[in-house]
Structure formats: C-alpha cells, structure tokens
C-alpha cells in the first residue's frame, strides 16, 4: 500500500470504531479489543515498512496497547461476563496498571535513544515541575475527593487511585521527552497527543464517577491513544525516535518559561479556588501569585540578558576569526562592520566608521584629539556626533550620539601607539550596552592591523633579499648606463658573457660596430620617453644579444638607464632552423605544402598587377609503391631525393619546387608571359626524370611520372588552380605513364557528373533502388535453359532502368559494390529457391552471380556465401560465381584460397569475359575453375574471320581438354549458334535465346518448355 494510503485507511478505521463506541454501548468490549489489535497491527506494519534501527521501544508499545485494550475490556466487562468470572475486573485492573508501566518504559527508552544517555538536568527539573503541578490538580479534584468518599481502601478504590497515578507517571515521562533538546519528530507529537488524550479521558472518567455523566465520552481517550500509537508507527519519522540526535545548546525558550509559569501557578490557583469563600486567605493567595509572577518576569529579563550576552560573545568570536584571517586593512574594516551588525539587534539602524592613522603627524585640533585618544587607550566613550571630525561625522549624521573607541597598542614596538579610531553611531539607548563589546572589538582590530603591517614589512624585506639574489645570480646581464653612455654598474653575469667586467666602459665598446647607429637611436628614443620594443644587437665574441631598455633616471636609487641583455645566439639559430623545417620538406629540402601555398598567393598577386602568367604543375611518380615494397623505404627515399634534385634542376630561378607528401610534388611557374612556357617546363621535367637513377647496391632505378598542368588563364585563385592541376594529373595518370596533361573544362564537368553519380548511387544503396534480371544459359543442342545469370539493374527514380555498365565502375571505386553484391547474392538465391520449389528435380536450373574483387577482400566472404545458401535453402551446386579474367594474372592468392574453399563445398567458379585480358590458357590449370565464358567479341567475328574461328575453336578444345565447361556469350544469330554447336561448345547465352527478364518471366519460360 502506498505511503499515504496506509495511515489514511488506519485513521478512518479508528474513527469508525470510535463512532461505534459512542453509538453502541453494548459493543464497548469488542470495540476496545478491535481498536487495540488494530493499533498493534499498525505498529507491526510500521516496523516492516520503516525498519527502525532499534525496535525494542516499538515492540513494548505494541504490548502495552494490547494489554491496555484487554485490560479496559475486562475492567468494563458486562455483568453476564463477570458473573461466571468475578475476578475478571481485578484481572483487567492488573493489565491496565501493567500497560501504564510499559508505556512509561517505552517513553524512557525513546528518551535514552534520543539523548544518547546524556543527562539533561534542566529538562528533568522542568518535567518534574509540570508533573508536580498536575499532580496537585489531580489530588485536589480527583484523588482527594475519591479517598474521602470511599472510606476504607478496597480493590476498586485501589484501581481508582492506581489509574491516575499511572496517568501522572506517563505524563511526567512524556514531558521529559518533549522538553529534551533538539527537533521533535512528528511521531513524537502523535504519541504525545495520544497520551494526553488518554490522560484527559481517565480524568474525565474519574470526574464523571464522582459527579455523574456519560462514561462513554471518557472512554474515547483510550481509543485516541491506540490511534495515535498506530499513526506514529506508520509515519516515516518513527525512525528518529530510536536514533541519537545531536542536541543544540540548551536555551530556555519563552514557550518553556510560559509552561513552567503555568505549572507554578497551579498551586495559587487552587488556593484561590478553595478559599474563594474566605476573603482574608484570598488576598494572601492573590499577593503570593502576584509576587511569583513578578519573579517570573524578572527571570525572563535575566534570561533575555543572558541570551544577548551569548549572542555578543558569539559575534566577537566570529569577528576574531575573521580578523585573524584578514590580509589587508579593507578586510579588517569589513570584519568590524559585520561584527557590529551582529552585536546589535537586526532592526536597529547604525553606522560604522573605522579610521586608520596616517604617517603624516596631525596638527591643531586633530593633534589634541589624537593625544586624548592615546591617553584614553581602548576605552570607549559616548560623544556627540557634532564633536567628531567632519570626515567621520558626515557618515553618522543620522545619529545624535556615537561611541568613539581608539585603537591603541601601548606596547607597539615601533611607531605611534595610536593605530586608528572606531566610531559606531546608533540610537542613544542602544549605545551604553554596546560599550564593552566595542572595546573588545577595537582591541582585536588594532592587533589585526598591526599584524598585517608587520607581515607586509616582512614580505617587503624578504622581497628585497629575493630580488637582490636574483640579480646576483641571473644569467641575464643587467647594466646601468649614465648620460654619457658609460656603464656605471654591471651584474656579475656580465663577466661570463663578455669575458670581463664592462664597468666604466662605454656601451658602444661591447656592441658590434655595425649596430652602433641603431643603438644610439634606441637610447635616444628611451631618453625621450618613447616605448621601444626589444631588439637584437650583435656584440663582441660574435654574440647576439636581446636588449630591453628602461629609463629610471628619475629614481634616486638608480639614476640612469637600466639595460637588460640576454644572450639569444643559440635561440635565434634554433628559431631559424625551426622556421626552415616548418616551411620545407625534411627529406628533400624542397618547399612544403604551406610554403608552396604562400608563394602561390604572392605570385597571383604579382600576376594581377603586371599581367604575367602563373602556372601550377602537380607531379606524381608512377609505381613508386612498388619500389618501396620491393626494394625498401631507404631506396625509395633515395629515389625521392633524386627526383627532387632533377625537378629543381629543370626549373628557373624564379620558380618553386615543393614536395606535397609521399611521391607527390608540385611546381610553381611565375614571371612568364606565354602559357606554353609552362608546358615546356613540364616536358623538361619528364626529360630530366627519364635518366636512370643509381641506387645503393649497384641498382638502377627509373623515375616515371605523370604531370597535371594549369595556368592563370584558366583560374585566378589559388584553390581553383590547385584543384584544376589535381584534376589534370588524374587525367594524365589515366592516359598512361610518363605523360602530362593540361586542364580542360570538360574534364571538370565529367568529374562533377561522376561525383553526382556516386552520391545518387549511395542513396540508391541505402534505399534499395535495385532490381535483378535473369538471362538464360541454354544447352546449344536443344535450346533448353540449364541456368540463369543474375544481372543487376539500377531503378533510377528519374532516368528509369540503368544498365550496370553506367555505374559498376563508380561502385567499384567507392566500395559500394560490396553492399550491392551482397544484395544481388541474397536476392538471386531467394529467387532460385522459389524456382526449385516449383520445377521438377531434373529440370531445376542453377544461378550464376558476378562477384567483385572488393567483395573477396572483405573479411568473412566465404562464410557469408555459405550462410546465404543455408538461409535460402539452396544447395551449393546450384550456385556459380563469376569472376573477371584479371584475377588470373594478378597476385590474388588469398582470393583463390577463398574460391577453393567454396569449391570444396560444391559452389562452381567461372571466368567471365575470357580473352579480353590477354591471359594464357595455361593459367586455368593452376586455378580452381570450373567454367570458361568466351567473350562476345570473339563470337561476333567467327563467321567473317577464319582466324577468329580458329581462335574460338582452340579455346573450346583446350578448355575441354582440361575438364572445363565452355559457355559462349553474346549469341545473337542462329548461324553463330549452329557453328558453336559444331565446334563442340555445349552452352551459350545471348539475345538469340532471350533478353534479361525478371524472375517471374524466367520461371514462365521454364514452365512453358515443360508444358510443351
């Protein structure tokens, strides 16, 4: 049950029981038992929910509630119950008395747990006072009359006495719990309210027995106790009753004073009530009460004064801590103002002015006042605001009187004992009580100011020693030069720099002759008050010194120019080296990309002014990676250095050669007027690179390069020139090795189209804009299909169906061929699986899928193919993978290993477009291949060319001799089919049999053949 619903439900249930108790007198016994059991159950639920640290008190409370409920039920049992068991009432009395004892024990346990066993004499006396007063009331109006009416003591009389005594015992312990220091939890308030309700109910019960009345109303007090006990246990604060709480300092509050006063007035009140009929005794009682009230008022004043004294003591302690940590006079003033704010009540207006003594001696009235302050010491005195110095009085004009307290240190080691004066302005009635506190505060402030002054003096002296040590030991040379430029002082480091002490020498004698004129200009500017930046001067012994000059002629301790010289010879050399490294290539010594871009910007700016032509060449070595991989990086570096020398040798003095990185170089051609001169430079570079390059170990290397050219007529910005040269280099490399190409605009347009195609293809891969078509592979003897080649098509949203020839190359370059190939494989296997479920086993075709080299380079390709076969439910022999002929002559051992692994599982491998790559049939014996597909260009010329026919016949014969199956591609004429069949070619495909169709049309072709 949620946290709030449980107490609400329990409270509602107890209210219902109370209503039944009032309305049905005959049900008192079961209602009391039900209320006690319900309260015990609520306490148990509270223990499970809140899990207090100490449960003993709550367990005892549960027992006390049950005993009380059973005791009251037995004590008030009807006659039909007490007849058979006369001792039932006595038994109930014993249970009720035991319940009182347990309730008191519960409260004592809570007191001990809350206070941690600490003794609180004041709280104990307060509880005894209240209990004593209430006991007097009980004796006067309950116990006394009961004993007078009862005569001799008997069982019911003892019960009548024991119940009020038990109530008084619980009240005393409850008062002790509630008057303990610390915050009172809500559960304590609930429990206290229940006990008070029980006390009121018991007293009412006794009074109604004496005077007559409805006893049912008095019985509600017990029900209230049970409800309060259950609610206290269900409240989350019940944990705090059994947990030690840190007690704040005990101060008698006004509420406690009123409580004690009321308790103390009980006796006079009873006396007045009893003696109302005797006037003389009434006067005595009234005077006694007045006297006691006056004593209480006086005690309240004493407590208020004590509280104020404690507050001021606390404020002075805080001020002392703030003054000890103050590091300057401003912090001292802030601490004093804060202290005065705390010393006065919050609603009292006031002003604080702390004046500190100055070094200059006062005169006139100020001197007389200072003498009086020294004589008075730190004694504070009340003075009219108009008699205070005007600089202070103007800040205190709102007040007629002010406290003036000098800050005097009579045992001050040096200087005037008067440190300053503290003025506090406030209403006149508030100042006398503040006097002693202000004197203490002024003494603390004087000590703080003196401490700060001494600390500053120590710091100053330590600083002088520190800086003297620095000057004596610094590596910089510090010189003091007089008006005649003569060195009047030189720091000890000058001997190490110049080889001798330059004191009494002229400054020009330690500076190189070529810098004398510049030195004189700097000294004149400094003497004229100008700010001169640091400059480097050459000195004797080939030193380079950085000079900083300051004019301190107005300083009597210096009276000259202070010149600081620092040896920066080595630093400047390193800076030059770092600058060179930052703008040059570390291997070849050519300009790097940064310097090349900077010089290109300057060249374009000059060309814009004089109309000259600027050319940019991008140079890339062909097959440089092979040199690195076969001969090593050391030989590759030798080749790069030789290339850099030859490129530089082919350029003019105005041109710039740069290495952009790796095997990429660039040249900047400027100050030419004919763009053809740039092309001539490119040809010179190719000629220079054509010469062999000798390498270590007697090896001879050849540097073959491709060059891209562009000039300013084509572009007028650095970025555009670089982009055009890069594009021209791309075209040159595509045209073959050892060539140059010049930028042409249509190259840019083609590149843009290629980039757009790549972007659209990437979108198509993500969106799945592809479809598969299938072209049958037929048996040339009967034209029946035995398999189908899966051909991918791009379903472009605006251009329609695009053939693979338009996008496969871009897909290969971008790597998109990998996800496309994966989709083609999965889709083709899914389609052939559907075919195999429809067609009879003997007529089930296989599917042939083209695979790219990049797919094999992806890790796990073999596992991917096998997983696709297993997922589609297609046997491996129903799949044939087609690879390009270029794999036969390249170094692709890893790919062939993967193909061999697939063949072991039953997947067949075919060489597509055989004959276009000029590979030898001898390679077929070395590779795991099952099928050879003859390219269409051989088929087209068979009829017209005997040579072409012989070539096709040779391919078929050699392939069959090696156990390979031959498929002829591109058959479009019946004559070609018949000729191939006579040559022994078993299979073929082409438009003669069918154009590529979708999967549904393909299965339709096969089912129609079955029907025929």
């Amino acid at each position: 049950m949620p946290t709030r619903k449980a107490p609400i439900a329990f409270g509602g249930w107890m209210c219902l029981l109370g209503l039944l108790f009032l309305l049905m007198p005959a049900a008192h016994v079961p209602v009391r038992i039900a209320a006690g059991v319900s309260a015990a159950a609520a306490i148990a639920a509270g223990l499970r929910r809140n899990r207090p640290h100490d449960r003993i008190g709550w367990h005892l409370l549960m027992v006390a509630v049950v005993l009380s409920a059973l005791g009251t039920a037995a004590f008030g049992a009807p006659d039909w119950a007490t007849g058979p068991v006369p001792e039932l009432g006595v038994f109930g009395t014993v249970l009720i008395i035991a319940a009182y004892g347990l309730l008191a024990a519960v409260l004592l346990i809570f007191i001990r747990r809350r206070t941690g066993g600490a003794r609180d004499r004041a709280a104990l006396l307060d509880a005894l006072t209240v209990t004593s007063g209430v006991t007097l009331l009980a004796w006067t109006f309950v116990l006394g009359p009961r004993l007078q009416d009862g005569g001799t003591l008997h069982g019911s009389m003892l019960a009548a006495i024991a119940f009020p005594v038990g109530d008084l015992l619980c009240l005393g312990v409850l008062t002790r719990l509630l008057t303990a220091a610390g915050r009172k939890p809500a559960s304590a308030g609930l429990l206290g309210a229940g006990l008070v309700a029980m006390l009121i109910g018991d007293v009412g019960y006794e009074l109604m027995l004496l005077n007559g009345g409805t006893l049912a109303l008095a019985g509600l007090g017990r029900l209230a106790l049970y409800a309060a006990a259950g609610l206290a246990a269900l409240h989350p604060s019940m944990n705090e009753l059994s947990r030690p709480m840190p007690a704040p300092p005990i101060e008698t509050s006004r509420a406690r004073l009123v409580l004690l006063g009321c308790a103390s007035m009980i006796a006079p009140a009873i006396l007045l009530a009893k003696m109302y009929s005797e006037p003389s005794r009434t006067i005595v009682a009234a005077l006694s009460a007045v006297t006691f009230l006056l004593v209480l008022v006086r005690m309240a004043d004493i407590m208020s004064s004590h509280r104020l004294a404690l507050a001021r003591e606390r404020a002075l302690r805080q001020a002392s801590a703030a003054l000890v940590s103050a590091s300057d006079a401003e912090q001292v003033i802030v601490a004093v103002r804060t202290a005065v704010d705390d010393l006065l009540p919050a609603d009292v207006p006031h002003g604080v002015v702390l004046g500190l003594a100055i070094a200059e001696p006062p005169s006139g009235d100020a001197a007389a006042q200072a003498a009086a302050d020294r004589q008075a010491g730190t004694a504070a005195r009340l003075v009219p605001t108009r008699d205070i110095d005007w600089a202070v009085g103007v800040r205190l004009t709102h007040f007629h009187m002010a406290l003036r307290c000098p800050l005097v240190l009579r045992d001050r080691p040096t200087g005037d004992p008067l440190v300053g004066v503290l003025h506090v302005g406030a209403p006149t009635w508030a100042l006398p009580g503040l006097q002693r506190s202000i004197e203490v505060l002024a003494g603390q402030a004087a000590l703080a100011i003196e401490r700060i002054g001494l600390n500053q003096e120590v710091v100053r002296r330590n600083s002088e020693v520190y800086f003297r040590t620095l000057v004596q030991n610094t590596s910089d040379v510090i010189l003091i030069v007089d008006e005649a430029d003569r060195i009047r002082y030189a720091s000890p480091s000058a001997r190490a720099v110049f080889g001798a002490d330059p004191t009494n020498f002229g400054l020009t004698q330690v500076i190189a002759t070529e810098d004398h004129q510049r030195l004189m200009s700097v000294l004149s500017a400094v003497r004229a008050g100008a700010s001169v930046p640091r400059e480097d001067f050459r000195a004797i012994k080939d030193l380079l010194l950085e000079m900083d000059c300051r004019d301190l002629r107005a300083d009597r301790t210096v009276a000259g120019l202070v010149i600081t010289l620092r040896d920066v010879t080595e630093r400047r050399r390193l800076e030059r080296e770092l600058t060179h490294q930052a703008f040059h290539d570390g291997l070849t010594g050519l300009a790097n990309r940064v310097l090349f871009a900077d010089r290109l910007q300057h060249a374009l700016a000059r060309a814009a002014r004089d109309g000259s032509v600027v050319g940019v060449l991008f140079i890339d070595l062909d097959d440089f990676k092979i040199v690195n991989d076969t001969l090593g990086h050391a030989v590759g570096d030798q080749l790069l250095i030789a290339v850099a020398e030859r490129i530089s040798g082919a350029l003019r003095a105005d041109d710039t050669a740069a290495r952009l990185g790796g095997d990429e170089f660039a040249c900047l051609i400027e100050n030419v007027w004919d763009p053809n001169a740039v092309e001539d430079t490119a040809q010179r570079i190719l000629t220079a690179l054509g010469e062999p390059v000798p390498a270590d170990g007697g090896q001879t290397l050849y540097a073959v390069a491709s060059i891209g050219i562009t000039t300013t007529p084509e572009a007028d910005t650095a970025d555009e020139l670089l982009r055009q040269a890069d594009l021209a280099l791309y075209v040159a490399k595509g045209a073959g090795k050892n060539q140059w190409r010049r930028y042409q605009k249509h190259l840019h347009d083609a590149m843009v189209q290629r980039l757009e195609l790549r972007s659209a293809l990437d979108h198509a891969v993500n969106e799945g804009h592809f479809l598969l078509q299938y072209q049958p592979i037929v048996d040339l003897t009967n034209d029946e299909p035995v398999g189908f080649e899966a051909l991918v098509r791009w379903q472009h949203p605006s251009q329609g169906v695009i053939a693979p020839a338009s996008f496969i190359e871009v897909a290969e370059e971008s790597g998109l061929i990998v996800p496309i190939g994966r989709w083609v494989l999965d889709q083709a296997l899914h389609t052939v699986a559907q075919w195999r479920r429809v067609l009879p086993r003997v007529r089930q075709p296989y599917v042939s899928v083209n695979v790219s080299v990049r797919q094999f380079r992806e890790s796990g390709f073999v596992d991917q193919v096998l997983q696709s076969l297993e997922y589609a439910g297609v046997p491996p022999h129903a799949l044939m993978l087609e690879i390009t002929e270029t794999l036969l002559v390249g170094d692709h051992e890893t790919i062939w290993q993967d193909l061999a692994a697939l063949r072991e599982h039953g997947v067949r491998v075919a060489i597509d477009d055989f004959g276009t790559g000029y590979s030898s049939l001898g390679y077929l014996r070395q590779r795991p291949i099952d099928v050879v597909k003859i390219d269409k260009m051989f088929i087209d010329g068979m009829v017209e060319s005997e040579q072409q026919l012989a070539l096709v016949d040779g391919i078929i014969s050699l392939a069959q001799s090696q156990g390979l199956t031959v498929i002829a591609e591109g058959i479009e004429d019946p004559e070609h089919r018949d000729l191939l069949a006579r040559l022994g070619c078993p299979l073929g495909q082409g438009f003669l049999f069918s154009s590529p169709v979708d999967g549904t049309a393909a299965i339709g072709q096969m089912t129609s053949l079955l029907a025929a």
Side-chain angles (χ1 to χ4, degrees):
M1 186 179 292
T3 304
R4 294 183 178 180
K5 290 184 178 179
I8 293 173
F10 176 71
W13 168 248
M14 295 303 292
C15 290
L16 178 61
L17 291 179
L19 187 61
L20 292 175
F21 188 84
L22 290 176
L23 299 178
M24 300 176 64
H28 282 182
V29 172
V31 167
R32 281 177 172 146
I33 295 175
V37 173
S38 300
I43 295 173
L47 289 174
R48 288 195 304 271
R49 172 176 298 180
N50 299 318
R51 301 180 182 275
H53 177 70
D54 189 350
R55 302 190 176 193
I56 296 176
W58 294 101
H59 285 151
L60 290 179
L61 179 60
M62 189 188 310
V63 175
V65 168
V66 173
L67 291 180
S68 177
L70 295 177
T72 53
F75 183 80
D79 295 339
W80 59 266
T82 57
V85 186
E87 294 82 6
L88 189 60
V90 177
F91 178 70
T93 302
V94 173
L95 293 181
I96 294 174
I97 294 174
Y100 281 125
L102 288 177
L103 287 174
V106 169
L107 297 176
L108 287 174
I109 290 173
F110 288 155
I111 293 171
R112 186 170 184 82
R113 298 294 185 269
R114 295 265 306 165
T115 60
R119 295 182 179 181
D120 189 349
R121 181 183 177 86
L124 179 59
L125 291 175
D126 292 346
L128 291 175
T129 302
V130 174
T131 306
S132 177
V134 177
T135 302
L136 181 58
L137 278 175
W139 176 262
T140 302
F141 296 105
V142 177
L143 294 177
R146 186 72 168 173
L147 292 175
Q148 292 175 5
D149 293 344
T152 60
L153 292 176
H154 49 82
S156 60
M157 183 64 67
L158 290 175
I161 295 174
F163 293 170
V165 171
D167 290 331
L168 293 174
L169 176 62
C170 293
L171 176 65
V173 182
L174 176 63
T175 306
R176 173 65 182 87
L177 175 64
L178 298 180
T179 55
R183 186 179 64 86
K184 308 302 181 296
S187 56
L190 290 170
L191 198 56
L195 287 171
V196 171
M198 182 190 72
L199 174 62
I200 294 174
D202 288 351
V203 172
Y205 179 80
E206 296 294 335
L207 291 177
M208 290 177 184
L209 288 177
L210 291 174
N211 304 319
T214 303
L215 297 178
L217 292 174
L220 288 177
R222 295 280 173 167
L223 298 183
L225 171 64
Y226 305 155
L231 291 174
L234 291 173
H235 198 277
S237 64
M238 59 102 64
N239 288 299
E240 301 180 21
L241 276 176
S242 56
R243 183 186 303 157
M245 300 296 291
I250 300 175
E251 295 183 3
T252 304
S253 62
R254 297 184 183 274
R256 181 177 292 190
L257 186 61
V258 171
L259 178 62
L260 293 176
C262 293
S264 302
M265 290 299 298
I266 290 176
I270 293 174
L271 187 60
L272 286 173
K274 291 293 184 180
M275 298 180 177
Y276 180 75
S277 57
E278 302 178 18
S280 59
R281 294 186 180 183
T282 303
I283 293 174
V284 173
L287 291 177
S288 300
V290 170
T291 302
F292 189 75
L293 286 175
L294 292 175
V295 171
L296 288 178
V297 172
R298 178 56 183 150
M299 286 178 60
D301 291 340
I302 293 173
M303 287 169 35
S304 178
S305 299
H306 177 65
R307 190 178 295 108
L308 180 60
L310 290 177
R312 288 181 176 176
E313 180 184 355
R314 184 165 52 252
L316 290 175
R317 284 200 307 269
Q318 294 173 353
S320 178
L323 291 171
V324 167
S325 62
S327 59
D328 53 31
E330 185 62 30
Q331 293 183 7
V332 171
I333 294 173
V334 172
V336 170
R337 288 176 178 170
T338 303
V340 174
D341 291 343
D342 295 337
L343 289 173
L344 287 170
D347 56 347
V348 176
H350 61 277
V352 180
V353 179
L354 177 58
L356 301 180
I358 58 177
E360 297 181 4
S363 60
D365 295 340
Q369 184 64 59
D373 289 338
R374 294 187 193 94
Q375 184 66 29
T378 57
R381 58 188 186 276
L382 280 171
V383 296
T385 306
R386 63 177 180 273
D387 295 340
I388 302 175
D389 182 69
W390 70 270
V392 177
V394 72
R395 303 182 186 182
L396 304 174
T397 54
H398 300 291
F399 311 105
H400 298 292
M401 302 294 290
L403 275 177
R404 178 183 178 89
C405 186
L407 279 62
V408 177
L409 295 176
R410 297 193 183 278
D411 55 350
R412 193 177 190 185
T414 58
D416 189 354
L418 181 62
V419 179
V421 181
L422 174 61
H423 295 86
V424 178
T428 305
W429 59 267
L431 293 176
L434 198 63
Q435 186 170 356
R436 296 293 176 254
S437 300
I438 292 298
E439 291 175 355
V440 175
L441 180 62
Q444 294 176 348
L447 291 174
I449 292 172
E450 180 65 11
R451 175 184 56 78
I452 292 171
L454 292 175
N455 287 343
Q456 291 175 348
E457 178 64 19
V458 170
V459 171
R460 185 186 65 80
R461 293 184 181 182
N462 290 340
S463 298
E464 290 180 357
V465 175
Y466 174 73
F467 285 110
R468 186 182 300 111
T469 304
L470 285 180
V471 171
Q472 294 294 330
N473 295 278
T474 183
S475 60
D476 294 349
V477 178
I478 300 176
L479 306 176
I480 299 179
V481 180
D482 60 13
E483 292 293 339
D485 297 335
R486 182 176 56 87
I487 300 174
R488 186 158 47 83
Y489 168 81
S491 62
S493 57
R495 184 179 296 275
V497 174
F498 298 116
D501 187 0
T503 305
N504 296 324
F505 285 86
L507 183 60
T508 55
Q509 293 179 265
V510 298
I511 301 298
T513 304
E514 59 267 25
D515 287 343
H516 282 180
Q517 183 176 358
R518 187 159 58 92
L519 174 63
M520 293 298 103
S521 300
V522 170
L523 295 179
S524 299
V526 172
R527 289 190 175 102
S531 178
V532 179
R534 296 180 179 181
E535 295 189 25
D536 292 345
F537 288 87
R538 297 191 178 275
I540 58 176
K541 298 174 59 177
D542 293 330
L543 297 176
L544 190 64
L545 301 178
E546 183 185 67
M547 188 180 77
D548 181 56
C549 188
R550 293 291 183 268
D551 185 7
L552 295 181
R553 292 177 295 172
D555 191 334
R556 289 178 294 179
T557 60
V558 179
L561 299 180
V562 177
I563 298 176
T564 303
L565 300 175
R566 176 173 296 175
D567 186 359
V568 294
T569 307
E570 186 65 19
R571 182 196 297 178
R572 295 295 184 259
R573 184 186 65 79
L574 291 175
E575 288 176 355
R576 288 192 297 271
E577 291 181 1
L578 292 175
T579 302
H580 184 272
Q581 294 175 8
F583 294 100
H584 292 80
D585 178 57
L587 177 64
T588 62
L590 299 180
N592 61 9
R593 187 182 297 271
V594 177
L595 181 58
F596 183 81
D598 181 71
R599 290 186 177 178
L600 178 57
Q601 293 285 2
H602 287 83
L604 290 174
R606 285 193 297 272
R609 292 192 298 270
D610 58 19
S612 60
V613 175
V614 175
V616 174
L617 280 65
F618 268 16
I619 306 170
D620 185 81
L621 298 183
D622 298 323
D623 301 328
F624 178 73
K625 185 177 183 300
I626 297 177
V627 176
N628 267 344
D629 294 343
T630 57
L631 302 179
H633 289 277
V635 176
D637 291 346
Q638 294 179 17
L639 179 60
L640 291 175
I641 294 173
V643 169
E645 293 174 350
R646 295 186 181 186
I647 291 176
S648 299
L651 300 181
R652 302 169 303 140
D654 293 342
D655 302 334
T656 300
R659 182 187 177 206
L660 304 183
D663 60 346
E664 296 180 356
F665 296 85
C667 295
L668 172 62
I669 313 300
E670 52 182 320
N671 295 327
V672 296
W673 303 94
D674 185 3
N676 293 327
V678 181
E679 299 179 358
D680 295 340
T681 302
Q683 190 60 49
R684 288 199 305 271
I685 292 174
L686 290 179
T687 302
L689 295 179
E691 297 295 328
V693 178
D696 293 343
Q699 297 175 342
T700 301
L701 304 177
Y702 291 91
V704 180
S706 301
I707 303 177
I709 305 173
T710 188
T711 58
T712 46
E714 300 292 342
D716 56 359
T717 65
D719 292 340
E720 187 67 15
L721 282 172
L722 296 175
R723 187 184 61 79
Q724 291 180 0
D726 192 21
L727 183 60
L729 174 63
Y730 177 81
V731 176
K733 292 183 76 67
K737 301 177 182 179
N738 200 30
Q739 297 190 46
W740 60 264
R741 287 291 184 271
R742 185 166 180 169
Y743 170 77
Q744 298 177 359
K745 188 177 185 305
H746 69 85
L747 299 177
H748 174 263
D749 297 338
M751 184 61 68
V752 171
Q753 292 176 1
R754 196 174 188 85
L755 292 175
E756 291 176 351
L757 177 62
R758 177 172 177 173
S759 177
L761 187 61
D762 183 70
H763 177 74
V765 170
N766 293 329
E767 298 297 329
H769 292 166
F770 294 97
L771 55 88
L772 279 185
Q773 293 182 344
Y774 302 89
Q775 188 174 35
I777 300 172
V778 302
D779 187 338
L780 295 182
T781 60
N782 54 18
D783 291 349
E784 291 186 3
V786 297
F788 286 85
E789 180 180 0
L791 303 173
V792 65
R793 300 291 187 264
W794 180 4
Q795 184 68 47
H796 197 279
S798 59
Q799 301 179 20
V801 177
I802 300 178
S806 302
F807 64 86
I808 286 296
E809 183 180 356
V810 175
E812 291 275 0
E813 291 178 358
S814 62
L816 294 174
I817 192 66
V818 175
I820 294 175
R822 186 182 303 117
W823 178 86
V824 170
L825 178 63
D826 292 340
Q827 188 66 25
L829 291 176
H830 175 72
T831 302
V832 78
Q834 293 179 334
W835 294 346
R836 294 177 66 85
R837 285 193 293 268
V838 174
L839 299 173
R841 183 180 299 273
V842 295
R843 304 297 293 273
Q844 292 178 350
Y846 67 87
V847 66
S848 180
V849 178
N850 292 274
V851 183
S852 168
V853 174
R854 295 198 63 159
Q855 289 180 260
F856 283 99
R857 290 175 180 169
E858 295 290 323
S859 61
F861 177 73
V862 174
D863 294 335
Q864 176 194 332
V865 173
L866 297 178
Q867 290 173 3
S868 298
L869 286 168
E870 181 179 2
Y871 181 78
V874 176
H877 69 267
L879 172 64
M880 184 170 71
L881 299 180
E882 296 188 17
I883 58 177
T884 59
E885 185 187 6
T886 55
L887 283 175
L888 291 174
V889 295
D891 184 14
H892 305 289
E893 289 302 324
T894 303
I895 297 177
W896 289 115
Q897 292 174 6
D898 291 344
L899 288 172
L902 290 172
R903 288 186 77 229
E904 290 179 359
H905 286 85
V907 178
R908 291 187 294 167
V909 179
I911 295 295
D912 192 19
D913 299 331
F914 184 80
T916 58
Y918 306 101
S919 62
S920 172
L921 285 171
Y923 286 111
L924 300 179
R925 292 194 301 269
Q926 307 170 12
R927 303 302 184 189
I929 298 172
D930 301 288
V931 177
V932 174
K933 300 185 73 172
I934 304 176
D935 188 74
K936 181 179 184 299
M937 70 177 185
F938 296 101
I939 306 302
D940 291 340
M942 286 193 310
V943 177
E944 294 82 5
S945 173
E946 293 291 335
Q947 182 180 3
Q948 196 85 337
L949 178 63
L951 180 59
V952 173
D953 185 23
I955 293 174
I956 295 173
S957 300
L958 288 174
Q960 290 177 345
S961 67
Q962 297 180 24
L964 302 178
T965 302
V966 179
I967 300 176
E969 294 184 299
I971 301 176
E972 299 180 356
D973 189 274
E975 188 177 358
H976 291 160
R977 178 197 57 193
D978 298 339
L979 184 56
L980 286 169
R982 287 196 301 271
L983 292 176
C985 179
L987 303 175
Q989 71 179 99
F991 283 93
L992 174 64
F993 308 106
S994 173
S995 60
V997 296
D998 58 22
T1000 303
I1003 189 64
Q1005 293 177 0
M1006 290 183 286
T1007 53
S1008 62
L1009 289 175
L1010 290 175

